[in-house]
């Protein structure tokens, strides 16, 4: 099946980070610059979602839900850490994929539906395997546009 209805607006494929805070700071900086959100507030929101266990999919992935005022269309950002990082919350499972789904604040329930579709995608083991094996952002974009797994979107 094609992932053409899924796409990443920004891909940070190989961040060498040892700590989750480094990754969330990088995401906050780059997303903030892209859509005009304050970096510190965005970083605090990402960390709160981790602390409250709202972002953790328990498979080495964190999936964040961000709502942004004045955003015209939804977007998604992927950050991948090639070595992964260990954390206290899930010992034994290295964290290596961070996905931020940013929705217009005005989307209401549409943003929840969007997040549910991304969650299903990031729980698909074959998709994750291919995503982790991708050499670079071009490979990731190819993965998102060509049939590879049987993931169904809602």
């Amino acid at each position: 099946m094609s992932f053409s209805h899924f796409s990443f607006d920004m891909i940070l494929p190989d961040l060498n980070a040892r700590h989750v805070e480094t990754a969330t700071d990088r995401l906050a900086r780059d997303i903030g610059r892209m859509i005009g959100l304050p970096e510190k507030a965005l970083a605090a929101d990402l960390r709160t979602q981790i602390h409250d266990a709202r972002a953790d999919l328990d498979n080495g992935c964190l999936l964040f839900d961000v709502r942004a005022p004045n955003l015209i269309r939804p977007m998604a950002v992927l950050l991948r850490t090639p070595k992964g990082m260990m954390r206290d919350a899930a010992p034994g499972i290295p964290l290596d994929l961070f996905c931020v789904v940013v929705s217009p604040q005005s989307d209401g329930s549409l943003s929840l539906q969007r997040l549910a579709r991304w969650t299903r995608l990031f729980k698909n083991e074959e998709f994750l395997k291919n995503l982790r094996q991708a050499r670079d952002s071009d490979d990731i974009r190819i993965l998102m546009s060509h049939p590879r797994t049987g993931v169904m979107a809602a």
Side-chain angles (χ1 to χ4, degrees):
M1 115 150 267
S2 174
F3 297 118
S4 60
H5 50 281
F6 291 101
S7 65
F8 293 112
D9 297 273
M10 182 189 313
I11 299 171
L12 306 167
D14 293 310
L15 178 70
N16 287 316
R18 289 183 169 185
H19 305 285
V20 173
E21 293 79 18
T22 304
T24 55
D25 286 348
R26 174 68 186 273
L27 284 165
R29 185 191 77 195
D30 290 359
I31 293 170
R33 288 178 182 169
M34 187 179 211
I35 63 174
L37 285 177
E39 179 181 331
K40 288 184 180 185
L42 183 54
D45 182 27
L46 298 178
R47 287 191 185 118
T48 298
Q49 289 186 48
I50 293 170
H51 181 267
D52 295 347
R54 288 181 284 158
D56 200 339
L57 299 179
D58 293 326
N59 61 359
C61 304
L62 292 178
L63 182 66
F64 299 95
D65 176 25
V66 173
R67 312 291 168 89
N70 304 320
L71 190 65
I72 296 171
R73 66 172 186 82
M75 61 180 282
V77 177
L78 174 71
L79 182 144
R80 185 177 68 176
T81 61
K83 294 180 182 176
M85 56 190 78
M86 298 310 288
R87 62 215 157 102
D88 295 336
I93 302 172
L95 178 62
D96 63 344
L97 297 171
F98 296 72
C99 180
V100 182
V101 178
V102 186
S103 297
Q105 208 163 30
S106 61
D107 270 3
S109 64
L110 288 176
S111 60
L112 294 175
Q113 293 170 14
R114 181 177 304 112
L115 187 64
R117 287 192 305 269
W118 279 97
T119 299
R120 282 193 294 279
L121 179 66
F122 270 82
K123 287 189 173 210
N124 181 284
E125 291 181 29
E126 187 176 347
F127 169 75
L128 292 178
K129 177 182 159 208
N130 291 331
L131 187 59
R132 288 179 169 120
Q133 290 176 349
R135 290 179 307 231
D136 55 26
S137 57
D138 289 336
D139 278 0
I140 293 169
R141 290 190 196 289
I142 291 168
L143 170 64
M144 301 305 287
S145 63
H146 286 80
R148 294 276 176 120
T149 70
V151 175
M152 297 297 290

